[in-house]
Amino acid sequence: MAMATRICSLARTRVARASLLGATTRGIKSSRVACSQSAAVRQVVEKALASSPGSPPQAIDKDRFFFDDADMKMLDHLGINTEVVFHNASPGVLYNEALLHEKGSAILSTGALVAYSGAKTGRSPMDKRIVDEPSTSGDIWWGSINIKLSEQTFNVNRERAIDYLNTRQRLYVFDGFAGWDPKYRYKVRVITSRAYHALFMNNMLIRPTPEELENFGEPDYTIYNSGAFPCNRATEGMTSPTSVSINFKSKEVVILGTEYAGEMKKGVFTIVNYLLPKMGFLTMHASANEGKNGDVSIFFGLSGTGKTTLSADPERALIGDDEHAWTSDGVFNIEGGCYAKAIGLTRENEPEIFDAIRFGTLLENVVFDERSGVVDYNDTSLTENTRVSYPLEYIPNAKIPAVGGHPTNIIMLTCDAFGVLPPVSKLTSAQAMYHFISGYTAKVAGTEMGVTEPSATFSACFGAPFMVWHPAKYAELLAEKMATHKVNVWLVNTGWSGGAYGKGKRMSLKVTRAIIDAIHSGDLAKAEYENYPVFDFQVPKSVAGVDSKMLMPAKTWANKAEFDSQVAELSALFKKNFKQFESGCSEDVRAASPK
């Protein structure tokens, strides 16, 4: 108890926001070298966090924070023996816990909670590892995306994570589901030392009913979030203090060295991205919504391309904003909530998201006025990647349960930093496969650590960081479903127009929404088209509510020579990227390459 008291005392000394964002890493840096072995980890941590002589023990207010029937030993079989466990605590309890124990947390004017993720304010994809073991090794697309990790190193990291959790006086456990279709859902348990993380996963996983929670049993997968403590860089396979590692054999995820909540969300997505395709079902980094006639649209795209914004349509029911599966029955959302970028958020442009910011919603790394509790969504002094997490049902027209039929339209979103792709193009089946496998966009500032301005990138299947199988696996599944259900496919550019990044302007949300509306109404499918050279796209001659000059990018550039140069450069990048996939593609797909 004395050691636990000292832990809480240390937490309360971190008072300034600046120190909050960096103190976790600084405070443990001196112990890294000494912690190469599991026993040494425990010894060093306990010594560092030992109570000072004479410190009086602090009793935990049990009457206020948990019920008599709470199981304080629910983690004992994992070797975690902390004093207090909050199991599926309500948002109100988690608010109280964050306000008491996490400096910088506050209740905002809307009733939402604000929290800070520390030094890491975006994902760390270079630190993701997957355990190389016989039962799954032959399935996995090994390389720069899925980096091999030995079982021995995983076990060292797991032990390090458990050692850290055992130094905490209180832990938070959330049990929830991944997947709205009961036939294909997975039980996930999250163990963390931060109330903020528990609230985040309460929003992002599907919350069980009281009866489902009572009968939850053992989880299919367990996430150990010890992100406030680093991995040991001297351990084989570790290249930084951060490690996010997945073991499909033991069905566990271990997080060290990053407190960014999005790592848990994407860890779950990576798991499902392995399991469902193994059963012959397509998983998609995509949003989905449904029209009044039951027509479903899928929006593929990486972070920053507009998936969340464009799928939150007041005229259509929201199925989900980021992660979906497509089975023989139709589509379903994998998540229980939404995780939207908050930068530049306004009620005028994104009313559904703006109005979802209320009690139970979590705002991450935003700047706010401490007197009024009002957020400045344009302030990026902490990070470009400000985020908001809220339950799916906070969107007024959300479809609950979040399942739908087979899609009518597939919309591939790209944020073109070159400014040369048309705002909308209708794709042939072969072009759809080519651009799905290519996954071109620009990484938008803030979505990953180190990205400060848009840069061209190719991400296979519009989600390579989360793909476990080779991209051809997902492409084959998509091709099969597109052919079976005769789906219209569109490429929509939400990036720059009239010039490349730095010279042109980003496509307005008003223009993109007009295009999406025309797709959903069926008007665009009946439009008259003209050919867009080099890429051989079919581009509509007119779209209601859009200046026809914008539809052909060359007409928006002041300098034609510069435009032609940018087209040539981008087409060359497409060709270079696709060489790695050519051998596994049919002739018609290879022919869909830019000329």
Side-chain angles (χ1 to χ4, degrees):
M1 183 66 179
M3 183 181 72
T5 303
R6 176 61 175 156
I7 295 169
C8 292
S9 177
L10 285 175
R12 283 192 292 271
T13 63
R14 299 169 182 170
V15 294
R17 180 176 302 166
S19 65
L20 177 84
L21 295 174
T24 302
T25 303
R26 290 196 299 271
I28 54 184
K29 193 176 290 184
S30 62
S31 67
R32 286 179 183 151
V33 176
C35 297
S36 59
Q37 299 297 326
S38 158
V41 171
R42 187 176 288 108
Q43 182 180 9
V44 171
V45 173
E46 290 184 356
K47 181 179 179 181
L49 299 177
S51 352
S52 58
S55 297
Q58 292 184 353
I60 296 174
D61 188 352
K62 296 186 178 183
D63 291 337
R64 182 175 178 187
F65 292 120
F66 58 88
F67 300 104
D68 291 337
D69 61 354
D71 182 5
M72 295 304 153
K73 298 187 178 298
M74 67 179 297
L75 304 178
D76 282 10
H77 67 291
L78 299 174
I80 301 175
N81 312 113
T82 196
E83 186 174 351
V84 174
V85 176
F86 292 86
H87 183 206
N88 280 52
S90 68
V93 169
L94 296 174
Y95 268 47
N96 284 332
E97 287 294 293
L99 294 170
L100 283 169
H101 306 296
E102 299 181 18
K103 288 297 181 181
S105 297
I107 299 175
L108 300 172
S109 61
T110 59
L113 181 74
V114 64
Y116 297 92
S117 65
K120 294 292 183 80
T121 58
R123 289 184 295 105
S124 302
M126 299 306 296
D127 296 308
K128 187 187 86 171
R129 303 288 187 272
I130 294 180
V131 172
D132 181 17
E133 51 82 25
S135 68
T136 58
S137 184
D139 297 334
I140 296 170
W141 179 38
W142 298 112
S144 59
I145 299 297
N146 299 306
I147 303 171
K148 293 183 178 182
L149 186 72
S150 70
E151 289 188 83
Q152 173 62 24
T153 296
F154 179 86
N155 290 336
V156 169
N157 284 351
R158 180 183 183 277
E159 190 71 14
R160 190 173 179 91
I162 288 175
D163 286 339
Y164 172 76
L165 294 173
N166 273 324
T167 68
R168 306 293 91 187
Q169 187 178 25
R170 53 182 58 78
L171 294 178
Y172 308 91
V173 175
F174 183 77
D175 289 339
F177 301 112
W180 276 92
D181 189 330
K183 290 187 292 186
Y184 307 112
R185 71 185 184 186
Y186 295 95
K187 298 185 293 183
V188 179
R189 172 165 293 169
V190 180
I191 306 168
T192 180
S193 62
R194 293 195 63 179
Y196 139 55
H197 288 156
L199 180 61
F200 177 82
M201 293 308 282
N202 176 79
N203 288 345
M204 300 313 300
L205 287 173
I206 298 161
R207 293 158 292 286
T209 65
E211 182 180 0
E212 288 172 334
L213 185 59
E214 185 178 351
N215 299 307
F216 195 82
E218 288 302 306
D220 296 314
Y221 277 81
T222 300
I223 298 175
Y224 303 86
N225 189 337
S226 296
F229 201 65
C231 66
N232 185 350
R233 286 184 290 181
T235 305
E236 183 182 1
M238 298 294 98
T239 55
S240 83
T242 299
S243 174
V244 180
S245 50
I246 300 172
N247 189 333
F248 287 111
K249 179 181 176 181
S250 67
K251 300 181 178 180
E252 295 173 307
V253 179
V254 171
I255 299 174
L256 293 166
T258 174
E259 296 178 79
Y260 179 62
E263 296 288 8
M264 295 181 289
K265 163 188 162 68
K266 291 307 183 186
V268 173
F269 188 38
T270 303
I271 290 167
V272 178
N273 263 338
Y274 174 71
L275 298 175
L276 286 181
K278 195 176 182 72
M279 299 166 61
F281 302 132
L282 176 64
T283 47
M284 305 174 287
H285 185 215
S287 59
N289 62 25
E290 182 180 270
K292 294 174 182 177
N293 297 321
D295 56 299
V296 172
S297 287
I298 296 291
F299 298 78
F300 282 107
L302 292 173
S303 295
T305 56
K307 291 193 319 299
T308 298
T309 300
L310 295 170
S311 55
D313 186 329
E315 300 301 318
R316 298 174 65 83
L318 178 69
I319 298 174
D321 82 320
D322 195 47
E323 302 171 5
H324 289 80
W326 189 352
T327 71
S328 53
D329 300 324
V331 301
F332 66 81
N333 190 354
I334 292 169
E335 301 184 292
C338 302
Y339 191 38
K341 287 179 71 68
I343 184 171
L345 183 65
T346 65
R347 177 179 275 117
E348 179 184 7
N349 287 335
E350 300 173 86
E352 293 81 15
I353 297 173
F354 193 93
D355 291 337
I357 301 175
R358 50 192 172 93
F359 180 82
T361 293
L362 176 70
L363 278 159
E364 188 178 45
N365 299 321
V366 299
V367 176
F368 65 98
D369 184 283
E370 295 185 3
R371 182 179 294 275
S372 66
V374 173
V375 176
D376 182 352
Y377 291 108
N378 294 312
D379 191 325
T380 59
S381 57
L382 295 179
T383 177
E384 294 265 357
N385 192 35
T386 54
R387 291 274 179 170
V388 54
S389 164
Y390 49 88
L392 185 61
E393 60 266 27
Y394 279 20
I395 297 294
N397 56 337
K399 187 178 183 186
I400 306 292
V403 298
H406 298 289
T408 302
N409 290 291
I410 289 176
I411 299 163
M412 296 181 181
L413 299 168
T414 181
C415 174
D416 175 29
F418 285 80
V420 299
L421 293 184
V424 59
S425 308
K426 193 174 190 301
L427 304 183
T428 65
S429 177
Q431 287 175 329
M433 296 311 303
Y434 181 91
H435 286 276
F436 178 68
I437 293 171
S438 298
Y440 166 68
T441 191
K443 287 181 181 177
V444 179
T447 55
E448 291 181 11
M449 296 299 296
V451 178
T452 57
E453 62 179 43
S455 60
T457 187
F458 293 87
S459 183
C461 310
F462 292 99
F466 325 118
M467 301 293 110
V468 183
W469 300 84
H470 189 279
K473 175 85 168 180
Y474 304 95
E476 289 166 4
L477 290 169
L478 179 63
E480 174 191 328
K481 292 190 174 298
M482 285 193 324
T484 300
H485 302 288
K486 298 178 172 48
V487 185
N488 292 319
V489 184
W490 312 86
L491 183 67
V492 173
N493 175 23
T494 63
W496 276 260
S497 175
Y501 171 77
K503 291 186 177 180
K505 292 183 179 180
R506 186 150 189 194
M507 211 79 64
S508 74
L509 182 58
K510 181 180 178 181
V511 165
T512 304
R513 282 204 182 280
I515 290 168
I516 300 299
D517 288 345
I519 290 172
H520 288 150
S521 70
D523 290 345
L524 214 51
K526 304 176 215 173
E528 186 179 352
Y529 289 84
E530 59 184 316
N531 183 264
Y532 181 64
V534 180
F535 286 87
D536 198 28
F537 291 150
Q538 291 300 296
V539 176
K541 291 185 176 180
S542 65
V543 177
V546 179
D547 183 350
S548 59
K549 187 173 75 170
M550 290 187 65
L551 298 173
M552 274 293 179
K555 297 177 181 179
T556 65
W557 281 61
N559 188 315
K560 187 178 184 304
E562 285 185 6
F563 173 77
D564 291 341
S565 174
Q566 290 289 88
V567 170
E569 184 176 351
L570 182 57
S571 64
L573 289 174
F574 266 97
K575 293 174 187 176
K576 180 180 178 181
N577 172 73
F578 203 77
K579 285 187 178 299
Q580 62 186 307
F581 306 115
E582 283 181 342
S583 61
C585 294
S586 62
E587 176 58 34
D588 61 334
V589 173
R590 293 197 297 270
S593 173
K595 304 300 184 283

